[in-house]
Amino acid sequence: NFQSVTGASTKQAVAELKRTNWKVDVAVEHWFSEGKVPDSGSTRRVDPAKVEALFAQYKDEDGDYISIGGVLSLAGDLGLEMTDLQTTILLCLMNFLKLQSKHVNFVQGMTELGADTVAELKSALA
């Protein structure tokens, strides 16, 4: 796991892994050869009310989670297909288990990415 070896934040890990075409060994080598250091997480503070509103937009009516329908809707709003690499990254970062994300995982993922709108999330995944 890139983050456990380097101590990088989620945002740093995604950027470094994208830069090296998702080759973990190359990313780790590049990280240390460049003398990079972990940041304290997101460089942008998110607005909790905006994150809550975003979660409410995609969550299931009968629970405190986002299910497959919300995942498909969010991916569509991001301009992504379910087969896109960015969708896989999103699913991992927000701990979507069985294509379902609990509220706490959604909020944590958005906070780690420093995003509180669909546009900012799209930019973080680009």
Side-chain angles (χ1 to χ4, degrees), residues 42-55:
S42 172
T43 57
R44 180 186 178 280
R45 296 194 51 88
V46 298
D47 180 340
K50 286 184 179 179
V51 174
E52 290 297 328
L54 200 57
F55 179 80

Side-chain angles (χ1 to χ4, degrees), residues 10-122:
T10 299
K11 198 167 191 172
Q12 287 177 306
V14 169
E16 193 65 35
L17 287 164
K18 283 196 301 191
R19 190 177 359 266
T20 60
N21 202 26
W22 301 97
K23 295 178 182 167
V24 176
D25 56 335
V26 175
V28 169
E29 184 177 328
H30 182 258
W31 176 270
F32 288 113
S33 70
E34 293 291 315
K36 296 187 176 188
V37 295
D39 65 28
S40 60
S42 172
T43 57
R44 180 186 178 280
R45 296 194 51 88
V46 298
D47 180 340
K50 286 184 179 179
V51 174
E52 290 297 328
L54 200 57
F55 179 80
Q57 182 177 340
Y58 298 105
K59 81 176 197 78
D60 273 31
E61 292 178 12
D62 62 344
D64 198 32
Y65 58 88
I66 298 173
S67 68
I68 184 65
V71 171
L72 291 170
S73 182
L74 177 57
D77 289 349
L78 291 168
L80 301 173
E81 299 290 330
M82 289 303 288
T83 56
D84 290 341
L85 180 58
Q86 290 90 344
T87 304
T88 302
I89 295 166
L90 176 68
L91 295 174
C92 291
L93 289 175
M94 297 200 179
N95 200 20
F96 280 96
L97 303 172
K98 299 179 186 173
L99 292 182
Q100 182 181 87
S101 180
K102 293 182 179 178
H103 176 259
V104 66
N105 300 121
F106 181 86
V107 171
Q108 180 180 356
M110 294 294 285
T111 301
E112 287 181 9
L113 288 170
D116 55 24
T117 66
V118 170
E120 291 170 353
L121 180 57
K122 185 174 185 174

